[in-house]
Amino acid sequence: MDRILHCKRERCSSSNQVYKQTLTMILKGNWASLIMWLFHALIPCLLTDGVAALPAPQNLSVHSTNMKHLLTWSPVVLPKETVYYSVEYQGEYESLYTSDIWIPSKWCLCTEGPECDVTDDITATVPYSLRVRAILGSQTSAWSILEQPFNPNSTILTPPMIEVSQDGFHLVIELEDLGPQFQFLVAYWRREPDTKEHAKIVRRGGIPVHLETMEPGAPYCVKAQALVNAIGRNSAFSQTKCVEVQGEALPLVLALFAFIGFMLILVVVPLSVWKMGRLLQYSCCPMVVLPDTLKITNSPQKLISCRREEVDPCAMAMLSSGLGSCSLGKGPGCQELASWPTGHRTHEGEAVFLPFVDKGWEK
Amino acid sequence: MKTQRASLWLLGTTLVLCSVYTHGFRRCLISVDMNQLEESFQEIKRAIQTKDTFQNITILSTVETLQSIKPVDVCCVTKNLLEFYMRRVFKDHQELKPQILRRISSIANSFLYMQKTLKQCQEQRGCQCSEEATNATRIVHDNYDQLGIPSAAIKSLGELNIFIAWIEKNHQATSV
């Protein structure tokens, strides 16, 4: 709620101003009252005859940045005196329809400095007229009006301040808070060839906003611009800021080596296993195949060369057990020999392995 | 062959009708900060509405007048109601308290900006006033005249929220 401010000096109250203006309007048709009012208004002037009139402030101008409008003027300097100022405004509506109505500024009814923040007064996107006057005690200067009405769409929009950070793997941006009239367009991308740029609208500054979950390997870059819908304009883009996450994954080269090693293992290991197997097979359990002629079987008859008939019959007879007298002629035939058990020992102590005697035995 | 022709003709007609309908239905959008307008109104609502002594009468009736406006009449009605507020309501109301005067000035100047931005759009689209639109406007003016200044001005100011909500519904991109 606005309070009616009073200057430290006596008669600087806003209520008087507004009531006077409105009273003027209401009494428009009433000439007698008007004359009375004029008379009362002029009394101070008549009484202060001889005192120099208070000069009006000069060089009014408005500096506007990011929808913050500042009215400034050249101060009225008087020795040993503190001069106060009063600011009033009039929107285009008032200047068209109710041109004698000036509205006192919210914060500068009675201000010391040669400047006034008129942001809260200039609310619509129309030209506003502004006027200032100096006040010293009961004296007021003439009104000094801004040359060119000020339209807030001529404000200077600066690129917003941005803070880009990482929260673990999250890309987070915080924009400066420029008020409810501002929205922001945030552009972000992964700094890699052939990647698309993403855009996001952020409705309010001052709070951290999550953009994307980052993957290691390349930096992520962000830039932002301010948008003001009320005046249909944007600021330029801010400077680009980049961050990168360090990943737990191996660098590319190491990964390549690992892959090659793995492939080698995949090929070499089975090969060596197979080789080793073969080696072992040959060394401990060889698969040796004896030729048929050397095979020991239960039927020696197969091995005996039945053509060896030149064997000494007597030797044969001595060797035989229970075969009777030595008989000349052919040695025991194949069948006879076959009846002898293998390994039969004579008393001479000679093992009888006639079939296994080498060929040298043959006469 | 005959069925082919018939279906093509039907398709063509449908497309033409659709384009005509959507052309009439397309809204003129305004980029005024409606939140700020609503805020300005909320700040003065109590002060204004307590001064309104005719509780049972309405000038901008929610049930009959505004809600029954067809999309094709929106352009004309918006134009007329903005004029109504600018030329009659804000001008007729005499405000003494600076804080309320500031809010009313804010709303009035926002309306002026709205008028300017809509004018261009309306000229392009051809804002034709149908009989219904003209009737609706006339009802509002009649109600206002019946009540008489200053009560009518106060009542109309008190009903600004109805008008603002209606504008938001019909002229903002975000609304359905």
Side-chain angles (χ1 to χ4, degrees), chain B residues 36-66:
Chain B
Q36 208 210 3
L37 265 184
E38 282 164 14
E39 256 178 57
S40 297
F41 175 73
Q42 287 302 322
E43 284 167 21
I44 59 167
K45 181 178 170 180
R46 201 181 297 166
I48 296 285
Q49 285 177 349
T50 46
K51 284 201 237 173
D52 181 14
T53 46
F54 297 91
Q55 295 294 326
N56 294 328
I57 305 171
T58 175
I59 293 175
L60 290 177
S61 167
T62 45
V63 178
E64 293 156 21
T65 323
L66 280 185

Side-chain angles (χ1 to χ4, degrees), chain A residues 3 11 56 76 98 115 129 148 150 195 254 314 320 334 363:
Chain A
R3 288 172 294 142
R11 299 195 219 150
V76 174
T98 55
E115 62 175 32
S129 296
Q148 286 286 336
F150 169 72
T195 41
L254 221 61
C314 287
S320 69
C334 291
K363 278 193 181 170

Side-chain angles (χ1 to χ4, degrees), chain A residues 11 20 33-50 138-140:
Chain A
R11 299 195 219 150
K20 257 189 208 164
S33 315
L34 189 62
I35 290 166
M36 284 297 288
W37 179 82
L38 272 169
F39 182 68
H40 282 108
L42 283 170
I43 285 174
C45 283
L46 295 169
L47 288 174
T48 57
D49 206 18
S138 55
Q139 271 191 307
T140 58

